[in-house]
Amino acid sequence: ATTEICHRLGCHSVMVGRSHGCDDPSLALALPIVTAPKVDPNAPSADIDSQVRAQAASGGPVYRIHAETVAELKPTVIITQDHCRICAVTSDDVANACERLPNPQAAKVVTVSPTTFDDVLEDVRSVAAALGVQPRGDRLVRHMKERVEVVRREAVAERGEAPRPKIAHLEWVAPLMGSGYWIAECCAAAGCEMVLGTAGGNSPTLTGIEALASADVIVVAPCGFSIERTKAELDACGLASSPAFRELPAVRAGRCFVADGNKYWNRSSCGIVETCEMAAEMAWPELAGLWGHHGERWVRLSELDAFCSRPGAQPVTKPVVLAEADDPMVPAKAAPLGARRAEASAVEVVNAQLAALFSGDWDGAFALNSKPNCARLGDAAKFAGVVRSSASFSVLVDKGREVEVWECGSDVTVRARVEGRPETTFQFMMVREDGAWC
């Protein structure tokens, strides 16, 4: 995002490097790459989600900085972000890279952390100030605001006295995730009301396809995915072809769309303006194509096959060099109790489930539930959705947690302490099934 902001400020000539994910504008691709992912971005969505969460839960970074390359480039300004633990390198890695510079004190680190639309605008100003072009930043922010106001006026004229259409943005498809952050405000500017997400809020994990039933408009734009990549994921997971999805009101009404989730929707750059325009084009039939995005940055679900089979379609995978094999990687799954299951105490079973949760082994954690709970939850993926989307249960997979487990009669109580969050206590109601605790 900040690479694009730098270019919009007219500062390409002073840029000396980029992250592996910085691909806008195309000229940025000519810059040396100073980071590498530890998780393959071309892997299936479910695998990416599982590996990234496990890596983040372990406290390690999802990316590696090439500190030697940074030192060779001798930057005086380093721009990074800590908005998203999935997208960010750790502050320790940035500090380590700075220490290798010829003059570590000369490098200014600018960290952006946007959650709202105004935060993104303020980041433009912050980057401009760091680069010594504050007037350009002020001008660019004014320009962005003026363009968004045009969208707002057009949407108001179309809506009249009618209620705002409810729009759902899918930020991920396996598991299904809603949206929030500045994206909800982009949808509001387009005359819509976001469901399954709030302005400035985190992206919730959905309990199932039925959660989309309240949406009048559905936008499928997974983070980091082009339209072509999204089609491949939809085909692989069978979402778009599932009867439950096809019966959704928005899908039946022809109001399900697929958009570029790589450069727009999820990226906190100047492209938030285009996201507003796209949302308006999709939500209001009379505005479709007004800003030139239809057929280029978004298509209807019914047009997806034709778009992706056209000459010149983007490849589904991205060229990427993964971090070296000897780098710290995603932790191995927790060792199952196996043959010891029947001998394990209730406390040991709870500890095994907590270890599985922390390491991202959702199958192992799900298997330790009682049969009634397994039937109620459905499967490991739905169990993961429940844990991740719950403000209480999510502490069990948070970085920095400390857990204390003790037995109380036939129940097991778990006290979880997570750095920076209130202490949470859980009561595990244990039962014996087939000679083992669960």
Side-chain angles (χ1 to χ4, degrees):
T2 53
T3 294
E4 190 236 340
I5 291 172
C6 289
H7 280 80
R8 292 291 295 271
L9 292 170
C11 293
H12 172 77
S13 61
V14 301
M15 298 187 69
V16 295
R18 66 178 177 96
S19 79
H20 64 278
C22 295
D23 56 4
D24 191 34
S26 298
L27 182 59
L29 298 174
L31 295 168
I33 299 172
V34 299
T35 63
K38 295 184 178 183
V39 175
D40 185 359
N42 296 317
S45 295
D47 291 353
I48 293 174
D49 178 77
S50 176
Q51 293 179 52
V52 166
R53 289 181 185 275
Q55 184 73 22
S58 72
V62 179
Y63 304 111
R64 176 183 182 272
I65 295 179
H66 298 309
E68 300 82 1
T69 304
V70 174
E72 292 171 1
L73 296 173
K74 301 180 178 65
T76 56
V77 177
I78 297 176
I79 306 174
T80 185
Q81 65 93 22
D82 63 3
H83 155 69
C84 175
R85 70 178 183 178
I86 296 175
C87 304
V89 295
T90 65
S91 56
D92 288 343
D93 280 344
V94 175
N96 179 55
C98 290
E99 287 175 359
R100 302 196 186 192
L101 295 174
N103 183 5
Q105 305 305 319
K108 179 179 181 180
V109 178
V110 179
T111 303
V112 300
S113 183
T115 58
T116 67
F117 196 96
D118 284 345
D119 288 343
V120 178
L121 298 180
E122 190 57 38
D123 289 342
V124 172
R125 293 191 177 96
S126 297
V127 172
L131 298 179
V133 291
Q134 187 67 67
R136 297 185 194 177
D138 294 337
R139 183 187 302 118
L140 179 54
V141 168
R142 286 198 305 271
H143 177 66
M144 292 170 66
K145 286 183 174 180
E146 289 168 0
R147 288 181 60 188
V148 173
E149 188 55 36
V150 171
V151 176
R152 202 182 309 275
R153 288 200 304 267
E154 293 290 350
V156 168
E158 282 302 309
R159 183 165 68 91
E161 299 299 320
R164 289 174 175 265
K166 296 179 179 179
I167 186 170
H169 165 221
L170 288 181
E171 188 190 68
W172 204 248
V173 296
L176 287 174
M177 296 180 67
S179 189
Y181 303 113
W182 55 86
I183 308 166
E185 295 173 272
C186 291
C187 293
C192 303
E193 174 190 350
M194 175 173 278
V195 294
L196 308 177
T198 58
N202 296 329
S203 304
T205 301
L206 309 185
T207 55
I209 293 175
E210 62 277 3
L212 295 164
S214 63
D216 301 307
V217 178
I218 297 174
V219 180
V220 186
C223 185
F225 286 7
S226 65
I227 294 175
E228 291 88 347
R229 172 65 190 275
T230 298
K231 180 187 183 303
E233 290 300 313
L234 291 175
D235 289 346
C237 71
L239 176 65
S241 60
S242 71
F245 188 82
R246 290 191 171 277
E247 287 301 313
L248 291 170
V251 177
R252 288 172 60 86
R255 304 190 74 188
C256 180
F257 308 93
V258 179
D260 183 346
N262 181 40
K263 295 183 179 180
Y264 308 99
W265 289 86
N266 309 289
R267 190 174 289 192
S268 56
S269 67
C270 301
I272 59 175
V273 175
E274 281 81 359
T275 298
C276 294
E277 294 170 348
M278 280 188 267
E281 286 189 350
M282 288 184 268
W284 306 104
E286 291 299 316
L287 301 183
L290 178 62
W291 291 279
H293 301 306
H294 179 215
E296 186 67 32
R297 300 181 178 96
W298 69 266
V299 295
R300 297 179 177 88
L301 184 62
S302 60
E303 301 166 332
L304 185 58
D305 287 346
F307 179 85
C308 294
S309 61
R310 75 193 190 284
Q314 291 186 28
V316 171
T317 59
K318 295 179 178 180
V320 63
V321 177
L322 298 178
E324 288 82 352
D326 58 352
D327 282 349
M329 297 298 287
V330 175
K333 292 185 176 181
L337 291 171
R340 291 190 56 251
R341 176 71 184 277
E343 304 170 3
S345 68
V347 169
E348 287 178 313
V349 171
V350 170
N351 272 321
Q353 186 176 56
L354 293 173
L357 288 173
F358 194 60
S359 67
D361 181 8
W362 295 103
D363 289 327
F366 178 74
L368 293 172
N369 287 314
S370 65
K371 291 179 181 178
N373 274 345
C374 287
R376 177 174 57 84
L377 293 165
D379 55 34
K382 290 182 179 179
F383 176 54
V386 171
V387 173
R388 291 167 177 160
S389 62
S390 167
S392 298
F393 291 139
S394 62
V395 304
L396 296 175
V397 295
D398 268 346
K399 171 185 174 182
R401 69 168 191 173
E402 294 179 5
V403 176
E404 181 182 358
V405 182
W406 71 94
E407 196 165 1
C408 179
S410 62
D411 299 335
V412 173
T413 298
V414 175
R415 177 178 292 159
R417 298 186 185 92
V418 179
E419 182 181 350
R421 297 180 64 170
E423 181 176 284
T424 305
T425 300
F426 300 88
Q427 189 107 355
F428 283 66
M429 309 295 290
M430 306 300 291
V431 297
R432 298 280 292 184
E433 286 182 356
D434 302 325
W437 286 107
C438 55

